[in-house]
Amino acid sequence: MWQFFHKLGSPKWFFGIATRLMPWLLVGGIALLMAGVIWGLAFAPKDYLQGNSYRIIFIHVPTAFLAQSAYVMMAVAGVVTLVWRMKLADVFVKAVAPVGLVLTFLALFTGAVWGKPTWGTWWIWDARLTSMLILLFLYGGVIALDRAINDEKSAARAVAVLVLVGVVNIPIIKYSVEWWNTLHQPATFKLTEKPTMPAEMWVPLLLSILGLYLLFGWLACLRMQTEIMLREQRTRWVRDLVMAGRN
Amino acid sequence: MNADARPVMKPLDSSVGSLDAMKAVFTRDMKVAFRQRQDLLNPLLFFVMVVTLFPLGVSPEVSFLREAGAGILWVAALLSVLLSLDHLFRHDFDDGTLEQLVLQSQPLFLLVLAKTLAHWMLTGLPLVLLTPVLGVMVHLEGNSIAVLCLTLLIGTPVLSLIGSIGAALTLGLRSAGVLLSLLIIPLYIPVLIFGTGTVAAAADSAPVGGYLALMAAFLVLATTLAPFASAAALRISLSNA
């Protein structure tokens, strides 16, 4: 177990593992996401209240889910950076922040598209929406701070502190629909309770969430590999790798 | 600037208690500020000017100002604190005082807390004291003004505390000012929402106890956690320089 942990700290070892893992993540992710989205969009029953317009849930919920979960993962990596000074944790934060930004934007965008037919407005200053907007700003701040500091090590630790400070927003997003009486509907999924939707609705939703998780993993690996190659460009193994790829 | 405008931070003996060390840092910061009075006035002038822009730029109608006044004052106070934050560590960073602070045997987060407290006394508190005058100018009622002052009294230390994290993180960077706002404004939003929400509730003569309790909770949370983050950020920024 500890050996595994130590190996995980080595960029070279991670690079190899990621290369082997990525095809599985990509194929599995696409398959699950396609299955979930096609099932959801074409075959799932109509909602008794919202009709067909609810179907954007199969895109909206996965992106919103991943946007928050990516931030939590970044916060965990931030702790690892500060406590154990593990290089890969920092690479992860750096690689994932822009992905999180895009996911948050997509969640807000699909939410707006969903809000227009159901609430009659693109945007409303509701607690869930506002806290998601703050999440978007937080991702922006993380990226901006990372770009502003030239020294790699200080950038890593400064960003880790900022990510950890911003994590207070995550429970606010999570509970915003329960603490405040808002327009946004309560959480679709709860881990501890049985879903209130029929299985034909929540199974495809679960499939698309899992699919997006796998795709996210693939993208994170890809971006981390790029970052590792940039950072380790002077080492022998990266040079060998690039030369091997050229032949 | 004359030579003794910025008193040197002498190394404190390890036998000096943490409270005494905090007091030393606090009094030094106050002394420095009062020797450069213009720096004290600037955030206040900024506060007054931003508030003036709203009646001129949006509408001088009494009904509008009464409705929006609390929010305008809160946003102006928030921006003015944000503007003054760059000074919190910058001069100390430039002349080496900050390194002396980090090298003291006392825990750094306590010294940072003392510095932040001084910062609040010099910027936040004057804003609160000026608020009644501006409150009358934007036609707020007496009760609303009192509640507004109370929310600012609880809220501005939170702004200083959260801001100190951002100031510590952006220390020594070019274009630190804009970056500082970018990092800190998202974290200010909850305070702003509850600060103005309290006044709105008071204007509707609804109970404000719950709101004030939440604001106090923000203050407790910020006081206990922010100095640690700022101290960590300061060490990172100093190792970078």
Side-chain angles (χ1 to χ4, degrees):
Chain A
M1 168 67 204
W2 278 108
Q3 206 194 350
F4 175 77
F5 200 63
H6 282 298
K7 270 188 181 169
L8 206 59
S10 142
K12 186 185 170 191
W13 188 83
F14 172 81
F15 199 97
I17 259 290
T19 312
R20 265 181 290 158
L21 207 60
M22 274 164 60
W24 297 100
L25 288 172
L26 182 63
V27 171
I30 289 180
L32 283 181
L33 194 63
M34 292 285 275
V37 168
I38 292 174
W39 185 356
L41 292 188
F43 301 108
K46 265 191 192 178
D47 188 67
Y48 75 98
L49 193 64
Q50 300 180 12
N52 275 323
S53 70
Y54 93 97
R55 286 183 198 277
I56 200 167
I57 197 175
F58 298 106
I59 298 160
H60 174 70
V61 169
T63 49
F65 211 91
L66 252 293
Q68 293 171 65
S69 172
Y71 197 91
V72 175
M73 289 185 234
M74 276 167 57
V76 173
V79 174
V80 174
T81 304
L82 287 178
V83 178
W84 291 291
R85 307 271 159 99
M86 208 183 262
K87 273 194 236 161
L88 267 182
D90 156 45
V91 172
F92 177 80
V93 174
K94 205 174 171 173
V96 162
V99 181
L101 182 89
V102 171
L103 284 170
T104 314
F105 175 77
L106 281 178
L108 285 169
F109 179 77
T110 51
V113 172
W114 194 4
K116 187 66 187 163
T118 42
W119 301 339
T121 173
W122 296 103
W123 178 262
I124 187 122
W125 294 96
D126 146 291
R128 178 55 74 80
L129 274 64
T130 314
S131 51
M132 273 309 266
L133 189 64
I134 297 178
L135 186 67
L136 188 75
F137 295 156
L138 286 175
Y139 274 122
V142 168
I143 297 169
L145 185 66
D146 185 57
R147 299 259 161 96
I149 306 177
N150 289 324
D151 180 61
E152 201 176 88
K153 267 186 195 152
S154 349
R157 285 157 62 210
V159 165
V161 170
L162 184 66
V163 170
L164 282 179
V165 171
V167 90
V168 290
N169 187 41
I170 294 293
I172 298 183
I173 301 179
K174 175 96 182 52
Y175 293 106
S176 56
V177 284
E178 288 166 36
W179 290 344
W180 290 283
N181 273 323
T182 59
L183 207 50
H184 195 286
Q185 59 203 28
T188 317
F189 267 129
K190 281 199 188 109
L191 284 176
T192 47
E193 285 166 33
K194 244 182 104 133
T196 49
M197 299 188 283
E200 299 84 57
M201 276 175 167
W202 67 260
V203 172
L205 184 53
L206 194 63
L207 285 182
S208 27
I209 291 177
L210 288 177
L212 199 61
Y213 255 106
L214 294 184
L215 273 186
F216 170 83
W218 172 76
L219 196 57
C221 282
L222 186 71
R223 292 183 57 91
M224 281 172 80
Q225 281 196 333
T226 314
E227 181 67 24
I228 288 171
M229 293 235 266
L230 275 175
R231 288 187 182 192
E232 312 257 317
Q233 51 184 318
R234 290 199 178 79
T235 61
R236 181 169 207 104
W237 71 270
V238 171
R239 248 186 293 160
D240 288 349
L241 195 80
V242 174
M243 293 318 263
R246 201 176 279 170
N247 293 331
Chain B
M1 195 194 308
N2 55 335
D4 58 0
R6 299 180 54 76
V8 190
M9 190 74 219
K10 293 190 201 79
L12 295 164
D13 202 86
S14 58
S15 62
V16 175
S18 297
L19 209 61
D20 287 329
M22 285 174 76
K23 217 155 80 187
V25 171
F26 180 79
T27 41
R28 176 187 173 275
D29 272 21
M30 295 299 261
K31 219 184 263 176
V32 169
F34 277 99
R35 286 182 187 173
Q36 297 166 353
R37 292 204 186 84
Q38 189 58 42
D39 281 0
L40 282 181
L41 272 179
N42 286 347
L44 279 177
L45 282 174
F46 180 80
F47 179 54
V48 176
M49 282 161 121
V50 171
V51 172
T52 318
L53 292 181
F54 281 88
L56 300 178
V58 187
S59 152
E61 295 271 335
V62 175
S63 58
F64 162 75
L65 286 176
R66 187 163 287 167
E67 177 94 9
I72 293 171
L73 258 71
W74 248 100
V75 171
L78 191 152
L79 291 177
S80 144
V81 170
L82 201 61
L83 204 69
S84 67
L85 275 173
D86 201 40
H87 284 289
L88 182 52
F89 300 117
R90 170 85 48 210
H91 293 314
D92 288 353
F93 180 70
D94 289 342
D95 68 6
T97 311
L98 205 58
E99 281 172 350
Q100 292 298 321
L101 277 186
V102 174
L103 291 173
Q104 304 285 352
S105 53
Q106 270 76 23
L108 182 59
F109 73 89
L110 286 179
L111 306 182
V112 169
L113 185 60
K115 275 191 87 63
T116 316
L117 187 66
H119 175 262
W120 175 72
M121 295 278 268
L122 295 164
T123 55
L125 195 58
L127 292 182
V128 178
L129 297 178
L130 202 61
T131 300
V133 182
L134 288 169
V136 172
M137 281 168 74
V138 295
H139 306 290
L140 286 179
E141 281 150 19
N143 186 33
S144 293
I145 293 179
V147 174
L148 178 63
C149 284
L150 197 58
T151 58
L152 279 171
L153 193 66
I154 307 173
T156 44
V158 182
L159 299 183
S160 291
L161 283 161
I162 298 176
S164 75
I165 305 172
L169 279 173
T170 53
L171 206 56
L173 296 180
R174 280 171 290 115
S175 74
V178 185
L179 188 61
L180 176 65
S181 339
L182 218 64
L183 302 184
I184 290 307
I185 289 179
L187 301 170
Y188 276 178
I189 292 175
V191 191
L192 174 76
I193 290 175
F194 283 100
T196 49
T198 316
V199 185
D204 296 343
S205 40
V208 292
Y211 278 102
L212 288 176
L214 264 170
M215 302 243 4
F218 282 146
L219 180 56
V220 171
L221 197 70
T223 316
T224 43
L225 295 182
F228 286 101
S230 305
L234 276 184
R235 285 185 204 280
I236 295 164
S237 289
L238 279 175
S239 71
N240 190 16

